[in-house]
Amino acid sequence: MSVAVFLTPQHPDGVEVDPTRPQLLVTDQAATRGDGVFETLLFRHGRIREEEAHLRRLAGSALALDLELPEASHWRAAMQLALGRFHEGAGEGAEASIRLTASRGVPSEGGTFWVLVSGVSRSAATSHGPEDGLRVVLLDRGYDAAAADRAPWLLAGAKTLSYAINMAAQRWAQAHDADDAIFVTSDGRVLEGPTSSVLIARRTDAGVTLLTPELETGILAGTTQAAAFEVAGEAGWSLGYGPLTPADLLAADGVWLVSSVRLAAAVTSIDGVSVPCDPELHRVLVEGLDAAL
Amino acid sequence: MSVAVFLTPQHPDGVEVDPTRPQLLVTDQAATRGDGVFETLLFRHGRIREEEAHLRRLAGSALALDLELPEASHWRAAMQLALGRFHEGAGEGAEASIRLTASRGVPSEGGTFWVLVSGVSRSAATSHGPEDGLRVVLLDRGYDAAAADRAPWLLAGAKTLSYAINMAAQRWAQAHDADDAIFVTSDGRVLEGPTSSVLIARRTDAGVTLLTPELETGILAGTTQAAAFEVAGEAGWSLGYGPLTPADLLAADGVWLVSSVRLAAAVTSIDGVSVPCDPELHRVLVEGLDAAL
């Protein structure tokens, strides 16, 4: 089951609507232009995970698009309304994904804002360990590593509704004997997955280091990546940011795609080449995220 | 007024719906992912302009996205239904824009397909001559000229619903004392406008040459650009394809942004530098398009 709540001028803290009935006009710029932003949050272990980080990123995305958003307090109220209704139907405490969508709406009529809560299976968050890791392909994102910085109109780092390329990249991967993709810049820097952040771990005599690509390339600031860094820090690992290259991925002791709902999925093949994922490092990361998130 | 017609399994040739009422689910991937394609056609002088070219491009875009489309005959029938209803309300022969949208729809439920007919003002198609031309800024598209060719998952050349960057580029232009933008590659090739194709004309002793950027850079195959080439050919002009650079724009005897509804709009300023638009060349182009389209 799903529950939808719209934030409207009349109902700033949200009003429930029927998600099985049409709720959007055909002229809504979410549907005509992909002109809007979104976030996906996880409700788990009785609370919304990384709520502040997601609301902050939503606001940052909206700023990049010059899109006026309801205040965070209204989003919070709407999420609570939607979760309450969801749990009445799905059972107290049931795990759920919460999608916040902010659209530019119908031209000259103001934005459209809604919350959609849907059930997620427990397995979604714990799948893909070292034994059954993801096969990924590296796909050129077309941009060089400096493009995001010099061209703000490219909206790099904003989580927009214009995800056609992300979806096409995942379809391309699946059509080429892989499960998912990792984008790289035209000049060979590792970026992110179409719907995830990339983490790699290196184990040396001096200890373990967890790395993620640098934000300056225009990737999304990953909320789960940030949580994973906290987990790793508590485990005594060193932390670092890229630049990372495909060679760094192949030489790592663990590569993961991390995202709010799937948490940390091990990668065990890159462009058809097997890569190891250290089971101990995977365990620390997944158990830590499971407890923290 | 607007008229909306949906193409459904029950009504493959279209069924009218009320565009002032919600018609799309919040889970439609047009709205959640910008995952779909579209075309905008002009109804003018009693007929749909460049209908075949638009339907062909729609099919090409859908192919790039691996999206199954209704057959062209169904789109044609749905357009006729929508236009008939539109003209009942707006008056026989009233000029209109016709937007065809194909969305991937709700996950595992098949696509969503609709036609939206709306009135356009006559002035929209004849504005921006040499006396009141557009001020444009050149904006880096992030990609190099070879990206489209080596990375099909970037969907270059497909007219997708993921237009957030196009809209951001136009907002950026308008916030920087300009009317519109022209994208260039990171290696300095002229591409296209966010919602238009670029044409330039050169006048020499040998005659006039009309040029447009080469499709290999991943720009959309412009239907109005193609019509302009026919007009120019009939006027005895030579025709050519890029590569074009910003220097070519500045040195031209005319630069235009062309699109289905606006037809040919003269550009008279590029990055703050005045550029001439030869009134005679403009007249030939606009009158030719007006008659042909």
Side-chain angles (χ1 to χ4, degrees):
Chain A
M1 70 166 293
S2 293
V3 173
V5 165
F6 272 64
L7 290 77
T8 68
Q10 292 74 36
H11 301 280
D13 287 338
V15 56
E16 190 183 0
V17 300
D18 181 354
T20 70
R21 304 284 310 160
Q23 301 294 348
L24 299 175
L25 292 169
V26 292
T27 46
D28 194 293
Q29 290 167 97
T32 60
R33 300 289 193 189
D35 200 357
V37 299
F38 76 102
E39 285 292 325
T40 306
L41 299 81
L42 181 63
F43 177 89
R44 195 175 192 205
H45 298 167
R47 61 187 180 87
I48 302 171
R49 303 297 159 166
E50 305 291 328
E51 183 178 1
E52 289 314 304
H54 282 286
L55 286 172
R56 202 161 49 236
R57 192 169 67 180
L58 186 74
S61 297
L63 190 65
L65 270 73
D66 196 17
L67 188 66
E68 214 166 305
L69 275 195
E71 288 184 20
S73 61
H74 295 312
W75 285 108
R76 277 192 219 102
M79 282 192 274
Q80 288 306 329
L81 172 60
L83 276 171
R85 297 288 292 154
F86 175 78
H87 285 133
E88 282 173 26
E92 199 61 39
E95 209 161 308
S97 77
I98 307 167
R99 196 187 206 259
L100 314 182
T101 307
S103 155
R104 200 174 303 277
V106 173
S108 72
E109 287 189 17
T112 316
F113 310 103
W114 72 93
V115 173
L116 183 70
V117 172
S118 312
V120 293
S121 69
R122 179 86 192 158
S123 65
T126 51
S127 56
H128 300 300
E131 304 305 315
D132 59 343
L134 296 174
R135 299 160 303 161
V136 305
V137 285
L138 303 181
L139 296 184
D140 186 340
R141 188 60 187 78
Y143 301 141
D144 59 279
D149 194 45
R150 69 173 183 268
W153 47 85
L154 298 179
L155 305 177
K159 197 170 173 75
T160 80
L161 299 176
S162 285
Y163 252 44
I165 289 176
N166 305 53
M167 299 296 101
Q170 289 189 329
R171 278 195 303 276
W172 204 92
Q174 283 152 20
H176 291 79
D177 204 30
D179 303 301
D180 208 336
I182 292 177
F183 285 127
V184 295
T185 65
S186 56
D187 45 353
R189 299 263 195 95
V190 173
L191 290 170
E192 60 195 344
T195 60
S196 59
S197 303
V198 173
L199 290 178
I200 78 170
R202 287 178 189 154
R203 191 195 268 288
T204 66
D205 292 345
V208 178
T209 303
L210 190 68
L211 296 151
T212 197
E214 71 282 20
L215 283 180
E216 290 74 14
T217 49
I219 59 174
L220 287 191
T223 53
T224 310
Q225 170 268 314
F229 266 38
E230 282 188 37
V231 166
E234 279 164 28
W237 301 1
S238 302
L239 304 172
Y241 289 88
L244 300 178
T245 66
D248 292 323
L249 299 184
L250 293 169
D253 296 297
V255 176
W256 295 269
L257 295 184
V258 301
S259 55
S260 298
V261 173
R262 197 168 55 177
L263 299 181
V267 172
T268 50
S269 161
I270 296 175
D271 283 345
V273 177
S274 289
V275 293
C277 184
D278 186 311
E280 171 64 12
L281 301 183
H282 182 75
R283 190 189 58 74
V284 170
L285 208 52
V286 166
E287 288 183 8
L289 284 174
D290 192 48
L293 287 178
Chain B
M1 70 165 293
S2 292
V3 173
V5 165
F6 271 63
L7 291 78
T8 68
Q10 293 74 37
H11 301 280
D13 287 337
V15 56
E16 191 182 359
V17 300
D18 180 354
T20 70
R21 304 284 311 160
Q23 301 294 349
L24 299 175
L25 292 169
V26 293
T27 46
D28 193 293
Q29 289 165 99
T32 59
R33 300 289 193 188
D35 200 357
V37 298
F38 75 103
E39 284 293 324
T40 306
L41 299 80
L42 182 63
F43 177 90
R44 196 176 192 204
H45 299 167
R47 61 188 179 86
I48 301 171
R49 302 296 158 166
E50 305 291 331
E51 183 177 2
E52 288 314 303
H54 282 287
L55 286 172
R56 203 162 47 235
R57 192 169 67 180
L58 186 73
S61 297
L63 190 65
L65 270 74
D66 197 16
L67 189 65
E68 214 166 306
L69 274 194
E71 288 184 20
S73 61
H74 296 312
W75 286 107
R76 277 191 217 101
M79 282 192 275
Q80 288 307 329
L81 172 60
L83 276 171
R85 297 288 291 153
F86 175 78
H87 285 133
E88 282 172 27
E92 200 58 41
E95 209 161 307
S97 77
I98 308 166
R99 196 188 206 260
L100 314 182
T101 307
S103 156
R104 200 173 303 278
V106 173
S108 71
E109 288 190 16
T112 316
F113 310 103
W114 73 92
V115 173
L116 184 71
V117 172
S118 311
V120 292
S121 70
R122 178 87 192 159
S123 65
T126 52
S127 57
H128 300 300
E131 304 305 314
D132 60 343
L134 297 173
R135 299 160 304 160
V136 306
V137 286
L138 303 181
L139 296 185
D140 186 340
R141 189 59 187 78
Y143 301 142
D144 59 278
D149 194 45
R150 69 171 184 268
W153 47 86
L154 298 179
L155 306 176
K159 197 169 172 76
T160 80
L161 299 176
S162 285
Y163 253 44
I165 289 176
N166 305 54
M167 300 296 102
Q170 289 189 329
R171 278 195 305 277
W172 204 92
Q174 284 151 21
H176 291 79
D177 205 30
D179 304 301
D180 208 337
I182 292 177
F183 284 128
V184 296
T185 64
S186 56
D187 44 354
R189 298 264 194 96
V190 173
L191 291 170
E192 62 194 342
T195 62
S196 59
S197 303
V198 173
L199 289 178
I200 78 170
R202 286 178 190 155
R203 193 195 266 288
T204 66
D205 293 344
V208 179
T209 304
L210 190 68
L211 296 151
T212 196
E214 72 282 19
L215 284 180
E216 290 74 13
T217 48
I219 59 174
L220 286 191
T223 54
T224 309
Q225 169 269 314
F229 266 38
E230 282 188 35
V231 166
E234 280 164 27
W237 300 2
S238 302
L239 304 172
Y241 289 88
L244 299 179
T245 66
D248 292 323
L249 299 184
L250 292 169
D253 296 295
V255 176
W256 295 269
L257 294 185
V258 301
S259 55
S260 298
V261 173
R262 196 167 56 175
L263 299 181
V267 172
T268 50
S269 162
I270 295 175
D271 282 346
V273 178
S274 289
V275 294
C277 184
D278 187 310
E280 171 65 11
L281 301 183
H282 182 75
R283 191 189 58 75
V284 171
L285 207 53
V286 166
E287 288 183 7
L289 284 173
D290 192 48
L293 286 179

